[in-house]
Amino acid sequence: RDGDGRDGGDGGRAAELAGHASKCMELVLDLLSCPQTRPCVLSYLDAHNVSVRLALSAAYRSSSPGLLRRQVDMLIDSERPGDGVDGDGTAVRRAHALQKLLHRHHREEAGEVVFAGAGRVSDPKWLGERVALWTEGTLYDVCRRLRLVDDGDPSCLATDAAAAQA
């Protein structure tokens, strides 16, 4: 302990600040995922250059690929719209719905898509590269849950049987 009653190292204080920063980033990312609050939060973040300040901060540059760094990367990704993002936020809502479905049913295999920013998931090229890495059973199950294929489609019966065994 120092003379003023605090612990000698700043390690505990730094960990506490990192925890608070992580919680704040979690709140901002949650607000960005809601179509109702997204425009207001984006304009605030843009007006104050929050993502630039975070990317240039010492905590971001010196941190290992931990939670705070991933959250800042997600913030930067969600601020940058993909090629398919339209003005009314439809693409963002669709990306968010896909992320929720994947989080619920295929979190392990599709983790990169689940935790990416909505702007990145809305980018068809980036998403196509990630979908190409999925197994055929996962792809079929996601398409079935999105109602892109019928349950009784004869061209998918072999894939359906293989997915059921897995």
Side-chain angles (χ1 to χ4, degrees), residues 82-104:
D83 296 337
V85 175
D86 47 7
D88 66 354
T90 303
V92 172
R93 285 194 299 274
R94 288 179 180 162
H96 187 64
L98 176 65
Q99 287 176 309
K100 286 184 357 184
L101 181 138
L102 292 172
H103 186 267
R104 188 172 296 132

Side-chain angles (χ1 to χ4, degrees), residues 88-144:
D88 66 354
T90 303
V92 172
R93 285 194 299 274
R94 288 179 180 162
H96 187 64
L98 176 65
Q99 287 176 309
K100 286 184 357 184
L101 181 138
L102 292 172
H103 186 267
R104 188 172 296 132
H105 300 287
H106 300 285
R107 187 177 326 155
E108 297 300 320
E109 188 170 0
E112 193 171 357
V113 177
V114 170
F115 297 110
R120 184 172 278 181
V121 176
S122 299
D123 180 15
K125 183 180 181 224
W126 183 88
L127 185 60
E129 291 170 355
R130 298 318 175 271
V131 169
L133 300 174
W134 297 351
T135 64
E136 189 175 329
T138 299
L139 181 59
Y140 173 74
D141 185 57
V142 170
C143 289
R144 186 181 56 79

Side-chain angles (χ1 to χ4, degrees), residues 22-122:
S22 177
K23 289 293 183 186
C24 290
M25 290 298 299
E26 187 176 335
L27 173 64
V28 169
L29 292 169
D30 285 345
L31 290 172
L32 283 172
S33 70
C34 294
Q36 297 87 357
T37 58
R38 183 176 176 77
C40 299
V41 174
L42 279 176
S43 65
Y44 178 83
L45 294 174
D46 187 43
H48 294 282
N49 295 321
V50 172
S51 60
V52 174
R53 289 180 181 188
L54 286 170
L56 294 175
S57 71
Y60 178 80
R61 287 185 284 142
S62 67
S63 68
S64 61
L67 180 61
L68 181 62
R69 187 177 191 107
R70 286 193 311 257
Q71 288 174 326
V72 171
D73 290 341
M74 287 173 60
L75 174 67
I76 293 169
D77 290 341
S78 60
E79 283 184 330
R80 181 187 65 213
D83 296 337
V85 175
D86 47 7
D88 66 354
T90 303
V92 172
R93 285 194 299 274
R94 288 179 180 162
H96 187 64
L98 176 65
Q99 287 176 309
K100 286 184 357 184
L101 181 138
L102 292 172
H103 186 267
R104 188 172 296 132
H105 300 287
H106 300 285
R107 187 177 326 155
E108 297 300 320
E109 188 170 0
E112 193 171 357
V113 177
V114 170
F115 297 110
R120 184 172 278 181
V121 176
S122 299

